[in-house]
């Protein structure tokens, strides 16, 4: 069985270049099929989820290839609207192909998506929105079958700013007849990225990154070349590693404008930053301070994807921290693993109460999902002795080279 082995307990010292964003790249790959031509994506992360998405696009008839960290997609040969269960189940983002297949072919047949088991993850908002646009949706036990004889612009209100639902509706609206308003839209930077890419292909969008997005349908799109922004969650993970271990880390190409909710939290914990063009340097004390009360929320709130890395960093912080998870209901799965390392945590409903200890002790732990797995690496790096992290295949879904990155930051890992 594959595992990562980390010899922890030393402060960080080093620098790392931040990879392209997973949550931006996946819907953009999905969007690429809206154009009957060629797309080139630069700074595309070579992560497991992107490789899976490429397999799905090939299965649909596209041709795809890598040149360095650039990925090209030739989508004129796309001829299928059916996604196999085998691939759909491997990741959450397969569901964004619902909107883009409907936009391109007027039909889509997609098994329910997989992805990290961090809660219920329904798709009711995606489907209700598409129905408002004139799409007929049939749900069977196994899959969603959707078709339309002509997608119509509509006024849609999302009762929760779902990232996936906003992406699906954007993708369906770009080539629709008339104008679509998405009210209560998600404002995550990855939505802005998707809109910027769609615009580069010729889409007409107003209000990208705001809670009301207006999409004026166009007749067709054209070839585009786009550079994907750096991954704010990967950058945040390495900042949390510095907070957990102490020391200094320089992040090259960190997406600063997308990280404005993370830096104040780390400053409050006692970290300081130097911000230079293209480089963010964090300095953290041997033990950070607690956070009093922090809750996750849709953007611009504190990202749910950063909750586990922060939890790992708080295990050794001075004082008692309270961390509340408001977005996904099952996102404290690593608590047991952290407790095995000596962390003092108890969970009350959706709040984790962490009483900081001076030392964690390395041990064998198991990752059960992506961000939790990365958080276990952080805890292991801050713990005295050796840890093995099993289930590392989850981490590879979103981190291009976590071993190389952590090594560059001075962590002993193999
Ligand atoms: C995306 C991100 C994920 C991140 C999350 C929230 C990708 C590939 N994944 O996931 O990393 O943690 O945003 O920032 O980009 N919900 C409904 N009905 C729906 C859809 C969602 O009730 O139809 C609920 C979910 O159960 C959850 C909340 O809305 O409680 C947020 O989900 P959503 O924003 O849709 O997250 P994802 O797009 O799945």
């Amino acid at each position: 069985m594959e595992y990562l082995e980390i010899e922890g307990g030393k402060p960080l010292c080093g620098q790392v270049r931040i990879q392209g964003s997973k949550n931006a790249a996946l819907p953009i790959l999905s969007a690429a099929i809206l154009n009957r031509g060629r797309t080139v994506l630069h700074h595309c992360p070579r992560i497991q989820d992107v490789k899976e998405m490429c397999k799905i696009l090939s299965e649909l008839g596209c041709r795809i290839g890598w040149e360095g960290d650039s990925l090209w997609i030739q989508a004129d040969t796309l001829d299928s609207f059916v996604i196999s269960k085998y691939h759909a189940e491997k990741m959450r983002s397969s569901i964004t192909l619902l909107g883009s297949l409907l936009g391109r072919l007027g039909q889509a047949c997609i098994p329910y998506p997989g992805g990290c088991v961090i809660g219920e993850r329904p798709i009711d908002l995606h489907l209700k929105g598409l129905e408002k646009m004139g799409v007929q949706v049939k749900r069977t036990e196994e899959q969603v079958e959707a078709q339309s004889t002509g997608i119509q612009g509509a006024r849609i209100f999302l009762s929760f700013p779902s990232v996936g639902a906003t992406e699906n509706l954007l993708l369906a609206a770009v080539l629709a007849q008339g104008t679509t308003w998405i009210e209560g839209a998600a404002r995550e930077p990855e939505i802005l990225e998707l809109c910027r890419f769609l615009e580069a292909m010729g889409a007409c969008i107003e209000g990208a990154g705001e809670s009301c997005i207006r999409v004026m349908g166009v007749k067709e799109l054209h070839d585009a070349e786009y550079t994907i922004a750096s991954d704010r969650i990967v950058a945040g993970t390495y900042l949390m590693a510095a907070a957990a271990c102490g020391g200094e880390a320089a992040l090259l190409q960190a997406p600063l404008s997308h990280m404005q909710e993370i830096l104040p939290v780390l400053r409050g914990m006692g970290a300081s930053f130097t911000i230079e063009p293209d480089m963010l340097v964090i300095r953290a004390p041997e033990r950070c301070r607690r956070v009093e009360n922090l809750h996750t929320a849709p953007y611009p709130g504190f990202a749910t994807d950063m909750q586990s890395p922060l939890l790992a960093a708080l295990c050794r912080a001075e004082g008692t921290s309270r961390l509340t998870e408001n977005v996904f209901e099952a996102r404290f799965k690593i608590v047991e693993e952290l407790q095995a390392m000596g962390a003092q945590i108890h969970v009350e409903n959706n709040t984790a109460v962490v009483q900081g200890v001076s030392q964690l002790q390395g041990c064998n732990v198991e990752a059960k999902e992506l961000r939790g797995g990365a958080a276990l690496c952080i805890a292991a790096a801050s713990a005295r002795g050796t840890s093995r992290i099993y289930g590392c295949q989850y981490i590879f879904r979103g981190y291009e080279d976590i071993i190389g990155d952590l090594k560059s930051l001075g962590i002993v890992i193999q």
Side-chain angles (χ1 to χ4, degrees), residues 23 92-93 121-126 160 162-164 305 327-328:
N23 288 355
R92 177 74 186 167
S93 281
R121 309 195 86 172
I123 51 167
D124 56 310
L125 297 172
H126 305 227
F160 184 91
S162 157
V163 174
D305 284 356
V327 180
F328 289 108

